[in-house]
């Protein structure tokens, strides 16, 4: 079976990924998955919510190649309020849609935090790498992350991003809008993996792996 983990492992190997920018790291789930898949290169994880970041620090503290930052990423440097949910993985700068609130009780806002926002382009340490995997899971804010990474994107070979087929957050981009935005950077989808479905089996959200059009891939 062509699983997401298998495709990710193959992409890491075939594209010789030397750095992962893990945006919206939450408690370090993606970083842990990378290590379980055998990836031993640099990971830079970014997470703004304090409770999730504390767990992320614990996950990464014994790994000298895993660097963590308590910030959000966006189009510009700023200070902003993020809506924090009981399940911190749902925390977002955007408000839940009616569909989102009805579908995921643990996603409903339980508080707010004031956080620092920076851009990926503002991290010079990332620019020493030439084959980056950009993972972005920011609950509707991913196009802002891309807008703040225009310089770094030329060094990115793979993108792993959660996309929505239904509006979970008000003002979040549609699946089609995100695919078009990544196409403008030269990427196309090479794998789509269901995250959540409605009762009629239609997709709500999916993780999508993108690769550059000009690079060989069989992922």
């Amino acid at each position: 079976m062509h699983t997401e983990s298998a495709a990710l492992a193959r992409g890491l190997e075939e594209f010789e990924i030397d750095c992962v920018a893990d945006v919206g790291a939450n408690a370090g789930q993606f970083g842990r998955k990378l290590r379980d898949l055998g990836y031993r290169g640099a990971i830079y994880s970014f997470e703004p919510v304090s409770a999730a970041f504390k767990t992320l620090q614990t996950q990464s503290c014994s790994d000298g190649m895993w660097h963590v930052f308590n910030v959000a990423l966006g189009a510009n440097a700023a200070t902003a309020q993020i809506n924090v949910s009981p399940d911190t993985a749902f925390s977002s700068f955007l408000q839940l849609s009616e569909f989102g609130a009805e579908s995921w009780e643990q996603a409903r806002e339980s508080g707010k935090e004031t956080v620092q926002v920076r851009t990926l382009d503002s991290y010079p340490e990332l620019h020493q790498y030439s084959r980056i995997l950009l993972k972005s899971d920011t609950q509707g804010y991913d196009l802002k992350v891309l807008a703040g990474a225009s310089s770094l994107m030329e060094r990115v070979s793979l993108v792993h991003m959660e996309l929505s087929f239904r509006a979970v957050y008000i003002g979040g981009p549609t699946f089609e809008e995100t695919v078009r935005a990544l196409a403008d950077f030269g990427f196309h989808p090479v794998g789509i993996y269901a995250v959540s479905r409605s009762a009629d089996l239609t997709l709500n959200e999916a993780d999508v792996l993108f690769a550059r059009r000009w690079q060989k891939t069989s992922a």
Side-chain angles (χ1 to χ4, degrees), residues 18-34:
D18 57 2
C19 174
V20 175
D22 175 21
V23 183
N26 195 243
Q29 298 93 323
F30 191 75
R32 184 76 271 143
K33 181 176 185 176
L34 291 170

Side-chain angles (χ1 to χ4, degrees), residues 69-215:
F69 304 86
N70 188 199
V71 298
L73 293 174
N76 300 287
T79 300
Q81 281 199 324
I82 192 167
N83 305 309
V84 180
S85 58
D87 181 344
T88 55
F90 286 95
S91 300
S92 176
F93 287 116
L94 305 179
Q95 295 289 332
L96 276 173
S97 67
E98 182 177 349
F99 166 73
E102 290 177 350
S103 300
W104 294 279
E105 183 177 351
Q106 69 272 30
R108 297 173 185 173
E109 181 187 331
S110 59
K112 295 181 181 291
E113 287 186 18
T114 300
V115 301
Q116 295 299 311
V117 183
R118 293 187 60 183
T119 67
L120 270 174
D121 280 343
S122 70
Y123 286 87
E125 55 267 59
L126 292 175
H127 292 261
Q128 66 182 301
Y129 301 99
S130 58
R131 296 180 301 278
I132 297 172
L133 163 63
L134 169 60
K135 170 262 182 181
S136 186
D137 184 0
T138 60
Q139 308 305 311
Y141 212 65
D142 299 303
L143 295 191
K144 299 291 187 182
V145 174
L146 292 179
S150 57
S151 175
L152 187 70
M153 287 301 289
E154 66 185 22
R155 299 176 177 273
V156 175
S157 299
L158 293 172
V159 175
H160 184 282
M161 192 174 288
E162 185 179 271
L163 277 64
S164 294
F165 291 87
R166 298 186 66 176
V168 179
Y169 297 90
I170 299 170
T174 65
F175 179 90
E176 294 80 6
E177 288 170 338
T178 306
V179 169
R180 285 197 297 269
L182 282 164
D184 289 342
F185 283 108
F187 291 89
H188 69 127
V190 295
I192 300 176
Y193 309 94
V195 172
S196 67
R197 297 178 183 271
S198 293
D200 62 0
L201 299 183
T202 56
L203 281 172
N204 298 324
E205 302 167 296
D207 285 335
V208 184
L209 187 63
F210 297 83
R212 283 201 178 276
R213 292 183 181 276
W214 54 266
Q215 289 185 303

